[in-house]
Each structure stands twice: as C-alpha cells, then as structure tokens.
Amino acid sequence: MPYEFRLPDIGEGVADGEVVQWFVKEGDTIQEDQPLVSVLTDKANVEIPSPKTGRIAKLHATVGEKVKVGGLLVTIEVAGAPAPGIFSPFPASHPPVAAPAAPPSPSVPPPATFPPAAAVVPATAPERVLASPYLRRLAAERGIDLAAVRGSGPGGRVTEEDLGRAGPGGATTPTAPTRAPPAPMASLSAPTPPAPSPPVPDAEIAERIPIRGVRRVIAEHMAEATHRAAHFTYVEEVDASELVRFRDRMAKHVEKQGIRLSYLPFVVKGVVAGLREHPRLNATVDDARSELLVRSKYHIGIATATPDGLTVPVVRNADTKSVTALAREIADLAERARAGKLARSELVGSTFTITSLGLLGGVMATPILNYPEVGILGVHKIQRRPVYRADGTIGPADLMNLSISLDHRVVDGIDGAQFLSVVKAYLEDPHQLFAELA
C-alpha cells in the first residue's frame, strides 16, 4: 500500500525546508531508519530517516525545491501499510502537522488504486506567495497561512501590514477606515523587482551554477538585511603591538593543551567589554513591533567560511568564558561548521557578530549585518608599519583596523564610535581583559 511521507516539524519557527539531497531514487528499496533525504533549514542540514521499509514509488520534491512543513515529500510502497499519514522522526516538541484532509464526496467513489501525484493536485496550481523569509517565519509563529493573505506590496508581495490584518489561517480582518499613525521606521515593503537582464548567449557561458542550498539561504538573508537595515560603517585603527606580544607569550602555555590561540578570542573579550558599556549594541530589532530588544546575554556569532558558504555559529555566554575556553570553542564550532555538522540550535540566537578573514583580512570592509542584530564587527589583518610616536620618534608598530557596521535606524554614529573606542582600548592593553573580570 502507498504511504505518504510529509515533511515533519523539524524545529521551532521552521515553516519550510529546502531539499538538499535525496539518498534514494524512484524504484529503490529502503529500510526503516535508513537515510532518506537531507533538508536545509536556517543554514542547518537535517538528515531525515525513512519512516518505513518499502519501495520508493515517487519523489514529490526535487533538489533545490522548498517544501512546507506538512508538504508531501515521498510516496513509499509498503506491504500491508496503514492508510497514508505523517511520520515524524524527531521528538514531539511541537504538535505534529496534520496533512490536509480531502473533503468527503459521496457522489464520487474513491479510486481503487493510489492515484499518481498529478491526479490529486488542483486544476489550477496555486500561485507562489511573494514574502520575505522573515515574514514567512512570522506567519508560521502566528499560525497564518500566507497563501490566504492578499499582498498589497509590489507584484502582490505580502507586507507586515498585510500580516497584521490577517487572523489565524490567513483570513483578512476588516479594519476601520482610520488614519494610521506614522511608522517609526522606514517602510518595510519590498522594492520593485528589477527589470530582467538581457539574455546571455550560450557560447559566452562557461558554467551555470544553481543558487540553492546554503548559498540561497545566504542570498535571502543578505537581501533581507540590506533591505531592512540602514547600514553605516565606522573604521578605527588599533595599535596591536602589545596584543601581539601578549598573545605570543600566552600561546606557549595554551598550545600545550592542543589549542591553537588566535587573536579572535581576545577580540571576543574586547567586544563583550564594549557591549557592557554600550548595551544598545547588544540588541536585535523587532520590526513587527518597532522595538529594539536590548539583550541581557552575550551570545557572539562568529562568521565562518565553509565549502558551502558563510555560516555564523554562536558562542553562547561569551562573557563567562576564559580566553582559552573561547579558543577551544571557536575552533570546535569552525571545524564542525566546515564539516556541515552543526545543529540548528548552534546557528541561531546570536546578539552580536564578528567577522574576520584572518591573514586575508584586508585593510577594511563594510560588513553586512546579521539581521536582526544591530551590529557586526569586521576584524582585519595585523601589519607591521612605521608610526610617528608622541615623543617625535618613528618606530615599528603592529597595526590593524576594525570596521563596525550598525543599523542607523536605531544606533547613531556616536554610539558606534564610542563602542569601538572601548574595544580599541582593551586590545591595545589586553591586560585589562583579565582585570575587568575581577
């Protein structure tokens, strides 16, 4: 008998997932708990096992396709299987998503055999809902079906105002014709899509690379961040000469434990010190309520390059950890990020982000915010250069630049400058990083 397996609820706030890889093809035989499909959600790959033993009758989603929670993934022919239903291989932390039941039709008898997928879709396929990933998450949290919301934005795109007028299920709640108060932030509706580019002759195309998986998630997040936040960047030069000497002395002891000590743990400690003095930068924006949420914990995101693209694992409670503990955790997170083995919980919840290219750090950059955070710090390479000193002499110094991008809607330039001056002071005299913990 055919068994319909649908995408289970794989995490709080997850509304859909992108099929990254099928481990089977149609006609294959599969055993229960054997890997079936890999699904990407919020940059974390989730490997879903088969709920049944049987033969793969039909794959209902292709690689790169997004499937909503409760959406049909695969049909498995199972000997003596029960009626089609939903199986969730994950702990029931949330109520299971029920498959939509077909309305009874007494005049039409049920078919004798399981119909092909094409026979059960509506005559008119539903149009794709135009909404940002943020609005999709918000709709999922409020139990709103975006397909039932009438979008008022360009091209029918759903806006936050549309979502606010929709009740559970997506029905639009009528509103009185009163004058709306002025919005405290810039309009959040999406810009008009650009005109299509002229076609490129096939002879001039060296390779076609599908934008999918982590790369597509990155693209969506970057577009959302640049559309919503008003970016500005401030750059400061740091004399890291004492930091270089201090790190070299400390590394001799730390590396005996098998831990490579980079400059990044010191930067994390400096950032935490700066956030303590300027807590408005340790915050996220709730655009739905037009509120700045100042956070009480210091969860620092560390942007990490992986073969699939940039990910941001999170060092939680960074203020409570020593330089050695930070070095160990950052190395572990980076290694598992490059191997694609991070859990979703390790990729969410950061309150401020640091991005560094290490030896390839360049002179300066304008980092894009890890929305909805309000600040991200770019760390650039340390270079020895001659400097003119206050006593009139010229001598060598290890200099580096720090560049901070902030959301100008909620943070002013003076805030960024004052914050970076604190970080600069701690890095120029790293002994303070230990004295301030006393």
Side-chain angles (χ1 to χ4, degrees), residues 10-80:
I10 53 181
E12 183 177 356
V14 174
D16 53 35
E18 178 182 336
V19 175
V20 175
Q21 179 183 3
W22 282 106
F23 299 112
V24 294
K25 60 182 181 297
E26 292 180 3
D28 283 356
T29 299
I30 192 169
Q31 300 296 317
E32 185 175 350
D33 294 330
Q34 180 182 333
L36 175 67
V37 63
S38 176
V39 175
L40 175 72
T41 170
D42 285 352
K43 300 186 185 179
N45 279 321
V46 179
E47 190 175 287
I48 301 177
S50 174
K52 299 288 181 181
T53 296
R55 184 182 65 83
I56 303 298
K58 186 172 182 60
L59 303 180
H60 296 280
T62 59
V63 171
E65 182 179 346
K66 285 193 174 183
V67 180
K68 291 184 177 181
V69 170
L72 187 59
L73 279 175
V74 60
T75 299
I76 304 174
E77 288 285 354
V78 182

Side-chain angles (χ1 to χ4, degrees), residues 281-345:
L281 273 67
N282 190 54
T284 52
V285 176
D286 185 344
D287 275 305
R289 295 180 175 86
S290 293
E291 293 177 347
L292 179 67
L293 308 180
V294 179
R295 309 293 289 274
S296 60
K297 303 290 186 179
Y298 301 93
H299 302 322
I300 307 301
I302 306 295
T304 305
T306 74
D308 293 326
L310 196 67
T311 62
V312 187
V314 182
V315 176
R316 301 193 182 280
N317 301 307
D319 57 314
T320 66
K321 296 173 180 175
S322 67
V323 168
T324 303
L326 288 171
R328 181 186 294 109
E329 185 170 348
I330 290 170
D332 172 65
L333 289 171
E335 181 179 353
R336 290 191 292 117
R338 287 189 285 268
K341 295 182 178 179
L342 289 176
R344 180 177 180 271
S345 60

Side-chain angles (χ1 to χ4, degrees), residues 338-353:
R338 287 189 285 268
K341 295 182 178 179
L342 289 176
R344 180 177 180 271
S345 60
E346 296 175 298
L347 293 164
V348 297
S350 55
T351 61
F352 188 94
T353 294

Side-chain angles (χ1 to χ4, degrees), residues 238-297:
V238 175
D239 184 345
S241 301
E242 183 59 29
L243 176 62
V244 170
R245 289 189 288 269
F246 188 81
R247 178 259 171 199
D248 288 345
R249 290 196 299 270
M250 190 172 180
K252 296 177 183 178
H253 304 284
V254 173
E255 291 177 359
K256 291 179 181 178
Q257 306 175 40
I259 304 169
R260 179 182 174 275
L261 183 61
S262 69
Y263 295 103
L264 196 51
F266 296 96
V267 175
V268 171
K269 301 294 285 185
V271 163
V272 169
L275 293 176
R276 279 177 167 158
E277 293 194 32
H278 300 278
R280 286 173 64 92
L281 273 67
N282 190 54
T284 52
V285 176
D286 185 344
D287 275 305
R289 295 180 175 86
S290 293
E291 293 177 347
L292 179 67
L293 308 180
V294 179
R295 309 293 289 274
S296 60
K297 303 290 186 179

Side-chain angles (χ1 to χ4, degrees), residues 200-224:
V200 179
D202 289 343
E204 297 182 13
I205 299 175
E207 184 180 5
R208 290 184 182 271
I209 303 175
I211 302 175
R212 47 174 78 142
V214 173
R215 189 76 261 167
R216 182 157 75 178
V217 173
I218 293 172
E220 291 174 348
H221 285 190
M222 292 297 99
E224 183 176 19

